[in-house]
Amino acid sequence: MKLPLGKLRNDVLREVVFPNIGIEDVRVIYGPKEGFDSAVLEYDHEHYLIVATDPALGVPEETFGFFTYHFAASDVAVFGARPRWLIVDLLFPPGTERSFLENVMRSLNTECRKYGSSLIGGHTGVYPTIAEPTSTTTAMGLVRKDELKLPLAEPGDKIIVTAKIGLEFAVSAAYFREEELRKFLAFKEIERLKRLFTFETALPDALIARSFVRGMHDATEGGLTALHEIAENSGVGFRVYADRLYLDPLVRKVLEFYGLEPWSVSSTGTLIAITPPEKADALIKELHKNGIMAFELGEFTEEKERVLVKGGKEKTFPTFERDPYTELYGEG
């Protein structure tokens, strides 16, 4: 059986990956787990060490350095930690220009200085088996034990979402499918979409939200279907209200053109904030004050049903079946 494109599905993780992870270590508080994008390690009496790793590939060249930093750094931030240390592998195909490496390193340096991170090691090289620029970043940060944020919910918690649903897919379409988008978008609209890649990070959102929330998750591949993993791990259900969903008008146009619903489309940078009800309004206000639009999409429930309310009717919330982003890029 061939593996599907994109991230491995949870059943493959359970059957193949998780049974083969080496020896147990008492300092590993949380290791590989569905819905957990970071590991939590014992550091000292007061702190945990948060560790996350992520690749960057299949992204436009001008975004490569930015995503090399932010994909992994965001996973650290949603666990409540500021990313302090990075290890980065940069692998390039033959013919890569020195200027490209210079641009990548300048971008990495800019993001590290912006967020107080140090690049402490890695590996860089050019190899004939590499078809396109590929990076793997391991990010680490410290969090006080009483400030650790896990992607777990309790009944009554509100689902607060930052307004970037579908942005990852729409921006990628602007780069990889520009000719198609010209059929219904103006040149200025396509150029605006391309510039929006800098919003594909949950890092600033999470650093603001962490004092208000119970837990957080970055809605990457599979988008809002990450709510299923949160519910499964928490032993709760949830209700989502379609009429509360905000989509950027340009993003909506792109999704409609490709016949995609917003619930399962890749949405890297979209923060799902699991928020006690008494803190929900304050969180939204604080995010807005910092220029980050957010809204309440629904709530977690004691009943185990996972419900989408649309047009006054209830149905089961969609599951993640395929990755439109991977298919979009793979056919490009």
Side-chain angles (χ1 to χ4, degrees):
M1 182 180 72
K2 294 183 178 179
L3 297 174
L5 292 174
K7 292 173 65 175
L8 292 182
R9 304 302 187 257
N10 287 339
D11 60 330
V12 179
L13 293 176
R14 288 191 296 266
E15 295 166 7
V16 180
V17 178
F18 294 162
N20 296 285
I21 56 175
I23 64 170
E24 293 185 6
D25 188 323
V26 296
R27 296 178 70 89
V28 179
I29 308 303
Y30 292 96
K33 183 177 175 64
E34 301 158 33
F36 280 47
D37 291 329
S38 293
V40 180
L41 305 181
E42 186 80 27
Y43 184 79
D44 59 25
H45 291 301
E46 296 183 351
H47 298 89
Y48 291 126
L49 178 67
I50 310 301
V51 184
T53 190
D54 249 328
L57 72 164
V59 299
E61 285 194 357
E62 68 187 77
T63 73
F64 184 79
F66 180 87
F67 290 138
T68 293
Y69 178 87
H70 279 278
F71 284 166
S74 290
D75 286 342
V76 168
V78 297
F79 274 60
R82 181 180 292 274
R84 286 182 60 177
W85 307 289
L86 272 68
I87 297 174
V88 178
D89 285 358
L90 297 172
L91 306 179
F92 301 128
T96 299
E97 298 287 345
R98 176 189 173 105
S99 59
F100 178 70
L101 174 61
E102 292 172 345
N103 290 336
V104 170
M105 293 310 303
R106 277 196 294 266
S107 180
L108 267 173
N109 187 47
T110 295
E111 300 307 311
C112 282
R113 290 185 174 276
K114 183 176 181 180
Y115 292 103
S117 308
S118 297
L119 183 56
I120 62 171
H123 178 87
T124 306
V126 177
Y127 301 99
T129 54
I130 302 299
E132 63 178 297
T134 302
S135 68
T136 301
T137 300
T138 298
M140 294 165 277
L142 296 177
V143 62
R144 289 183 58 88
K145 291 183 176 181
D146 59 351
E147 295 175 352
L148 175 67
K149 305 300 177 182
L150 298 175
L152 299 173
E154 294 185 4
D157 284 345
K158 300 298 183 180
I159 302 169
I160 308 299
V161 179
T162 53
K164 294 180 273 188
I165 298 297
L167 181 64
E168 178 183 12
F169 181 88
V171 170
S172 298
Y175 279 101
F176 299 133
R177 288 287 189 273
E178 183 171 350
E179 290 298 322
E180 290 180 358
L181 265 58
R182 286 180 182 175
K183 298 175 183 177
F184 64 98
L185 293 182
F187 174 79
K188 289 183 177 180
E189 291 176 313
I190 295 174
E191 292 303 303
R192 175 178 175 265
L193 276 177
K194 290 181 179 180
R195 293 193 298 271
L196 291 179
F197 77 86
T198 57
F199 289 92
E200 290 180 50
T201 172
L203 177 52
D205 314 38
L207 293 179
I208 293 167
R210 58 183 175 174
S211 61
F212 296 87
V213 304
R214 190 182 313 281
M216 298 179 281
H217 192 83
D218 185 358
T220 54
E221 187 174 340
L224 288 172
T225 61
L227 291 169
H228 287 294
E229 291 179 331
I230 297 172
E232 184 70 26
N233 289 332
S234 307
V236 299
F238 59 83
R239 293 175 66 85
V240 165
Y241 300 88
D243 61 354
R244 299 182 185 178
L245 177 70
Y246 173 83
L247 288 177
D248 181 287
L250 282 181
V251 172
R252 184 182 296 276
K253 285 183 180 180
V254 173
L255 295 185
E256 289 177 350
F257 176 76
Y258 287 101
L260 296 174
E261 292 289 332
W263 311 109
S264 61
V265 72
S266 295
S267 299
T268 292
T270 302
L271 185 71
I272 300 173
I274 305 161
T275 312
E278 67 274 13
K279 295 185 177 181
D281 289 342
L283 170 58
I284 293 173
K285 182 178 180 180
E286 187 66 20
L287 288 167
H288 287 182
K289 188 172 73 174
N290 285 273
I292 301 171
M293 184 178 178
F295 54 92
E296 181 183 320
L297 186 61
E299 63 275 334
F300 292 96
T301 62
E302 188 169 355
E303 297 77 19
K304 302 301 190 293
E305 290 78 13
R306 303 166 189 179
V307 178
L308 174 63
V309 182
K310 186 175 182 180
K313 298 181 180 180
E314 297 184 0
K315 63 179 182 179
T316 302
F317 194 82
T319 57
F320 180 47
E321 301 295 338
R322 63 187 181 91
D323 181 13
Y325 171 85
T326 301
E327 294 177 4
L328 179 83
Y329 172 73
E331 294 171 2

